[in-house]
């Protein structure tokens, strides 16, 4: 939230500076309902426009960044799903071999009277 407020303050300052520059150098003025706005009113309108543009820019930046993160997350999940679905027979055989090895090791240790602390 602090960053958003900081961005809005920066946008307001920039718009005020640019509004003064436009008013001084180029003599541009805002006319609303056939009346010329005063320089302060012009700056207020330009500040409002700047704030709206800053908010729109923030929303677009966050949505683009969010879309990129969601896309990367979906890509990783898809790669995991494809990898698991392609190699599931090998994974099941590896689990079965590991279980058989541990079962035979436990049986061998019970017959010899040794205690294997790794299998507890």
């Amino acid at each position: 939230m602090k960053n958003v407020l900081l961005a809005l303050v920066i946008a307001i300052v920039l718009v005020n500076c640019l509004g003064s520059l436009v008013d001084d150098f180029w003599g541009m003025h805002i006319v609303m309902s056939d009346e010329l706005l005063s320089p302060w009113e012009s700056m207020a309108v330009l500040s409002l426009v700047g704030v709206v543009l800053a908010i729109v820019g923030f929303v677009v930046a966050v949505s683009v960044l969010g879309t990129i993160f969601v896309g990367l997350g979906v890509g990783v999940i898809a790669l995991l799903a494809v990898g698991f679905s392609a190699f599931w027979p090998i994974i099941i055989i590896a689990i079965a071999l590991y279980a058989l090895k541990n079962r035979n090791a436990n049986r061998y240790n019970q017959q010899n009277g040794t205690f294997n602390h790794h299998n507890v």
Side-chain angles (χ1 to χ4, degrees):
M1 187 66 177
K2 181 176 117 179
N3 291 337
V4 173
L5 292 176
L6 187 62
L8 290 176
V9 168
I10 290 171
I12 289 170
V13 169
L14 284 175
V15 168
N16 281 333
C17 292
L18 292 176
S20 298
L21 229 102
V22 166
D23 186 44
D24 290 341
F25 286 141
W26 293 298
M28 294 178 71
H29 301 283
I30 298 176
V31 176
M32 292 184 82
S33 58
D34 293 333
E35 289 188 27
L36 185 65
L37 295 179
S38 71
W40 286 106
E41 290 172 335
S42 296
M43 280 191 242
V45 170
L46 289 175
S47 296
L48 184 64
V49 169
V51 167
V52 169
L53 290 177
I55 291 172
V56 168
F58 178 75
V59 168
V60 167
V62 168
S63 66
V64 168
L65 193 62
T67 302
I68 289 172
F69 282 140
V70 167
L72 288 175
V74 168
V76 167
I77 290 171
L79 286 175
L80 288 174
V82 167
F84 185 74
S85 66
F87 295 111
W88 70 267
I90 296 170
I91 294 171
I92 289 178
I93 291 171
I95 291 171
L97 289 175
Y98 180 76
L100 287 174
K101 177 188 168 273
N102 279 344
R103 191 177 80 177
N104 289 338
N106 285 340
R107 191 177 295 159
Y108 177 76
N109 289 337
Q110 288 173 357
Q111 289 174 354
N112 291 335
T114 60
F115 180 72
N116 188 355
H117 66 281
H118 297 292
N119 292 328
V120 174

